[in-house]
Amino acid sequence: MSRQIIVGNWKMNGLTADSAERARTIAAGLPAGSSAEVVICPPFTQLAALASIVKDTRVGLGAQNCHKDEKGAHTGDISPQMLTDLGVSYVILGHSERRQNHGEIDETVREKAVAATKAGLTPIVCIGETEDQRQSGETQNTLGWQIKGSLPDGFSGILAYEPIWAIGTGLAATPDDIRETLSFLRAELIRQFGETGKSISILYGGSVSADNAAEILAIQDVGGALVGGASLKPDAFLSIVRAASAG
Ligand code: PEP
């Protein structure tokens, strides 16, 4: 298995002092010789300060969104170039909270993924089904269309499978469900992207915790985890990193 990646999505949490403290604790607590890649994604306002804190550590820095344009009349938006300028390497795109609360559709996400890649960022594109889609047996159909719509041709980033019903609920998908969905996603990536589809990492996200991480990260083809709530607690986040390193 290739190197697993553990991404912490801090969402809209963190003022200057506690963000700095959290980043320092995570950097200092990384297991020696860890085989996992670790990325933290704080709010935009914390990126500059955290860039200098994680510089020269093994913690990578990501943002939670970006615009598709390099510059221009887009009040309140942040371009991919503004992120690389700060030392940011990753960007989460198409998170379900952005799709739901900001009307982002697959096409928006795809355009952002193109722009992010062009700027030198690694996009982490999120897809996932709602509880209703799951209940009506539409999971695979939904995910297949999201891959087709959200990932640009020649996509070379990371895919994050995050069932919406599992995000922030404390109810992660079962290992059997993750295994089955990931094998569908892998087949779909290969169908849509050919050979490249074999090497796109697929993260699982949705209530990953210190308790369930080892089981989830041991599942065949899980390339790592996108972690929300537990990434705000350094102890829990570091346990998840250790679980990845052990895999
Ligand atoms: C997320 O929002 O990306 C997420 C996975 O959240 P949580 O881990 O809290 O379910």
Side-chain angles (χ1 to χ4, degrees):
M1 195 197 281
S2 63
R3 200 171 176 220
Q4 289 189 315
I5 170 163
I6 306 298
V7 183
N9 175 12
W10 292 6
K11 309 196 185 190
M12 196 174 72
N13 295 289
L15 300 179
T16 310
D18 59 288
S19 293
E21 172 68 17
R22 189 183 299 126
R24 281 198 191 95
T25 311
I26 290 169
L30 286 188
S34 164
S35 60
E37 194 169 338
V38 176
V39 177
I40 53 173
C41 302
F44 286 132
T45 51
Q46 300 304 324
L47 285 170
L50 296 204
S52 44
I53 290 174
V54 301
K55 191 168 177 276
D56 302 326
T57 74
R58 286 176 294 139
V59 177
L61 196 58
Q64 300 172 18
N65 182 33
C66 70
H67 196 270
K68 70 174 174 53
D69 291 344
E70 185 173 345
K71 58 184 175 185
H74 301 293
T75 305
D77 281 316
I78 301 289
S79 76
Q81 287 74 11
M82 291 170 179
L83 297 175
T84 49
D85 184 43
L86 290 179
V88 172
S89 308
Y90 297 85
V91 61
I92 298 172
L93 295 175
H95 190 282
S96 60
E97 287 153 15
R98 295 218 54 92
R99 291 178 186 257
Q100 280 171 348
N101 305 336
H102 298 271
E104 292 193 7
I105 56 172
D106 289 338
E107 188 185 355
T108 328
V109 178
R110 187 175 70 241
E111 288 173 344
K112 290 180 178 196
V114 170
T117 307
K118 187 170 156 230
L121 294 165
T122 299
I124 303 169
V125 174
C126 304
I127 59 170
E129 79 283 4
T130 63
E131 174 63 13
D132 281 355
Q133 288 163 331
R134 176 191 184 213
Q135 292 297 347
S136 51
E138 283 298 308
T139 297
Q140 295 194 353
N141 196 25
T142 303
L143 298 175
W145 280 107
Q146 286 179 336
I147 289 182
K148 194 169 171 43
S150 304
L151 303 189
D153 288 346
F155 181 69
S156 58
I158 294 168
L159 182 67
Y161 167 54
E162 297 208 298
I164 295 170
W165 48 269
I167 294 179
T169 59
L171 193 77
T174 65
D176 280 349
D177 282 346
I178 297 174
R179 200 172 292 113
E180 186 184 333
T181 305
L182 254 70
S183 106
F184 165 77
L185 292 175
R186 179 61 66 203
E188 198 58 21
L189 286 172
I190 293 169
R191 197 177 70 76
Q192 293 191 27
F193 294 93
E195 205 46 35
T196 339
K198 291 185 183 166
S199 56
I200 295 172
S201 278
I202 311 175
L203 312 186
Y204 168 79
S207 294
V208 174
S209 67
D211 294 336
N212 62 20
E215 198 176 16
I216 290 173
L217 290 166
I219 297 169
Q220 166 83 20
D221 214 16
V222 168
L226 179 51
V227 186
S231 72
L232 295 171
K233 301 175 209 125
D235 282 355
F237 189 64
L238 288 168
S239 294
I240 296 168
V241 172
R242 277 193 294 275
S245 310

